Amino acid sequence: MENLIILIASRCFLGREVRENLSEDVTALINEINVAMGPLTTMFPHLPIPPHRRRDKARKRLDDIFSKVILSRRSSPKSEDDMLQSLVNSKYKDGRATTVTEVTGMLITALYGGQRSSSTTATWVGANLFYHKKFWLHAMEEQIRLMKKYGDAITYDALSEMHVLYRCIKEALRLHPPIPMLLRQSHKDFTVTIRKGDKYDIPKGHIIAVSPILSNRVPHIYKNPDSHDPERFCPGREEDKLAGPFSFISFGGGKHSCLGESFAFLELKTIWSYLIRNFELELISSFPETKCDDIIHSPKGKVMIRYKRRKLVIE
């Protein structure tokens, strides 16, 4: 799943050349950076330990690979309509152009951000669909209905009408947010009044930590918060709107919410609609526990699937 996600993200975000230069070596190098991004790294990013040494070597190799693409773009008279071109053409407020090293860093950041959290969520979506077969059947019925309307092609219009699959993805994100903690710094003194009426003074400059794991399971917002129920997002219930815009914060919130939220849903719906249409899938391992000792809360261990290629039958 990680390899698939990185191929999609690279083509959609970064353009044709980056996608064409993504070999297995590049995927392995990105994974080396992933491995090094643990809780310890957030506190001591330059600690001289083996994962950091491998990370730095991987970064140097990625610099060599992507710098060729960037230099080629800068020397070409043709301008592409993609994120890479925007980065290549961008300038700072003082008029200085971005360097090759800076653009390379932003490319790696985009690939990392667009890969690890999405691949983790894609796995959680599948595990929940296979384990809760009722919603797997609902998702299949939705695909059959859309295939009757739009044919076999997975078009943007078809994706826009995948409401069942959307709710299944959102419920997986509610129960298994990939980022366990969101940190913000207060820019001024302010007071927070909680539901019980207690007040807390937050001084300017302090760091505030918010946990999507806890916020997404608040019992006065979500009915049976620990249960898997995508229908809680159906029209008429919409539990994620009961307490305002921050009832659901798997993508953060406010000015610094995740810019890739819409793309993530589009990407995950595309992947799972294709799998539902073309494969019989069955979870043969137990439902995974959460790996909590990592910066991304992914499934612990392997999620084993039995699969058989087939086409959904439209009667």
Side-chain angles (χ1 to χ4, degrees), residues 17 38 42 47 84 101 117 149 189 192 199 206 223 242:
E17 303 99 320
T42 62
L47 202 65
L84 174 57
T101 300
S117 58
K149 183 175 181 180
D189 298 338
V192 174
K199 295 185 178 182
H206 277 218
K223 183 179 179 181
L242 290 179

Tab-separated table of all heavy atoms in Angstrom, residues 17 38 42 47 84 101 117 149 189 192 199 206 223 242:
chain	number	residue	atom	x	y	z
A	17	GLU	N	7.936	14.008	-14.376
A	17	GLU	CA	9.334	13.586	-14.268
A	17	GLU	C	9.625	12.878	-12.951
A	17	GLU	O	10.356	11.885	-12.915
A	17	GLU	CB	10.282	14.786	-14.407
A	17	GLU	CG	10.107	15.566	-15.691
A	17	GLU	CD	9.270	16.802	-15.464
A	17	GLU	OE1	8.291	16.712	-14.708
A	17	GLU	OE2	9.605	17.845	-16.026
A	38	GLY	N	10.701	8.758	14.410
A	38	GLY	CA	10.045	8.281	15.616
A	38	GLY	C	9.925	9.388	16.645
A	38	GLY	O	10.394	10.516	16.430
A	42	THR	N	11.755	13.598	17.079
A	42	THR	CA	11.116	14.905	17.239
A	42	THR	C	11.790	15.733	18.331
A	42	THR	O	11.775	16.965	18.282
A	42	THR	CB	9.622	14.742	17.577
A	42	THR	OG1	9.488	14.037	18.821
A	42	THR	CG2	8.904	13.967	16.484
A	47	LEU	N	20.568	13.324	16.844
A	47	LEU	CA	21.221	12.341	17.699
A	47	LEU	C	21.997	11.340	16.836
A	47	LEU	O	21.461	10.820	15.851
A	47	LEU	CB	20.162	11.604	18.526
A	47	LEU	CG	20.610	10.919	19.817
A	47	LEU	CD1	21.101	11.950	20.823
A	47	LEU	CD2	19.454	10.116	20.410
A	84	LEU	N	5.504	20.992	-8.698
A	84	LEU	CA	6.947	21.104	-8.885
A	84	LEU	C	7.307	22.410	-9.587
A	84	LEU	O	8.248	23.104	-9.190
A	84	LEU	CB	7.464	19.909	-9.686
A	84	LEU	CG	8.937	19.955	-10.094
A	84	LEU	CD1	9.839	20.103	-8.880
A	84	LEU	CD2	9.318	18.711	-10.895
A	101	THR	N	18.461	22.621	-3.396
A	101	THR	CA	18.374	21.891	-2.129
A	101	THR	C	17.049	22.157	-1.426
A	101	THR	O	16.424	21.239	-0.874
A	101	THR	CB	19.538	22.288	-1.202
A	101	THR	OG1	20.777	21.974	-1.841
A	101	THR	CG2	19.462	21.542	0.121
A	117	SER	N	0.838	8.781	6.140
A	117	SER	CA	-0.468	8.874	6.795
A	117	SER	C	-1.561	8.262	5.924
A	117	SER	O	-2.476	7.599	6.427
A	117	SER	CB	-0.794	10.331	7.128
A	117	SER	OG	-0.775	11.125	5.962
A	149	LYS	N	-24.547	3.449	-13.419
A	149	LYS	CA	-24.749	4.834	-13.840
A	149	LYS	C	-23.602	5.351	-14.702
A	149	LYS	O	-23.827	6.039	-15.707
A	149	LYS	CB	-24.913	5.721	-12.607
A	149	LYS	CG	-25.202	7.183	-12.915
A	149	LYS	CD	-25.466	7.976	-11.638
A	149	LYS	CE	-25.785	9.436	-11.943
A	149	LYS	NZ	-26.047	10.213	-10.693
A	189	ASP	N	-2.424	35.725	25.297
A	189	ASP	CA	-3.097	35.170	26.474
A	189	ASP	C	-4.584	34.986	26.163
A	189	ASP	O	-5.214	35.849	25.547
A	189	ASP	CB	-2.963	36.125	27.667
A	189	ASP	CG	-1.519	36.340	28.089
A	189	ASP	OD1	-0.683	35.477	27.775
A	189	ASP	OD2	-1.235	37.378	28.719
A	192	VAL	N	-9.809	29.453	28.261
A	192	VAL	CA	-10.657	28.397	27.707
A	192	VAL	C	-11.674	27.991	28.763
A	192	VAL	O	-11.310	27.709	29.912
A	192	VAL	CB	-9.820	27.169	27.291
A	192	VAL	CG1	-10.732	26.030	26.851
A	192	VAL	CG2	-8.856	27.537	26.181
A	199	LYS	N	-12.578	26.954	33.960
A	199	LYS	CA	-11.822	27.848	33.090
A	199	LYS	C	-10.326	27.614	33.255
A	199	LYS	O	-9.846	27.350	34.353
A	199	LYS	CB	-12.159	29.306	33.404
A	199	LYS	CG	-13.600	29.685	33.098
A	199	LYS	CD	-13.844	31.172	33.323
A	199	LYS	CE	-15.276	31.541	32.952
A	199	LYS	NZ	-15.536	32.997	33.122
A	206	HIS	N	2.850	29.628	25.239
A	206	HIS	CA	2.792	28.245	25.697
A	206	HIS	C	2.381	27.308	24.555
A	206	HIS	O	1.676	27.704	23.632
A	206	HIS	CB	1.804	28.111	26.859
A	206	HIS	CG	2.405	28.477	28.179
A	206	HIS	ND1	2.125	27.811	29.347
A	206	HIS	CD2	3.298	29.443	28.522
A	206	HIS	CE1	2.801	28.343	30.345
A	206	HIS	NE2	3.518	29.342	29.871
A	223	LYS	N	-22.037	9.031	19.729
A	223	LYS	CA	-22.768	7.964	20.394
A	223	LYS	C	-21.971	6.662	20.282
A	223	LYS	O	-21.511	6.307	19.200
A	223	LYS	CB	-24.145	7.797	19.745
A	223	LYS	CG	-25.021	6.755	20.417
A	223	LYS	CD	-26.377	6.669	19.721
A	223	LYS	CE	-27.256	5.607	20.378
A	223	LYS	NZ	-28.575	5.498	19.698
A	242	LEU	N	-21.887	18.134	15.677
A	242	LEU	CA	-22.691	18.463	16.856
A	242	LEU	C	-22.065	19.551	17.714
A	242	LEU	O	-22.770	20.349	18.330
A	242	LEU	CB	-22.920	17.204	17.698
A	242	LEU	CG	-23.843	16.138	17.090
A	242	LEU	CD1	-23.949	14.939	18.023
A	242	LEU	CD2	-25.229	16.723	16.827
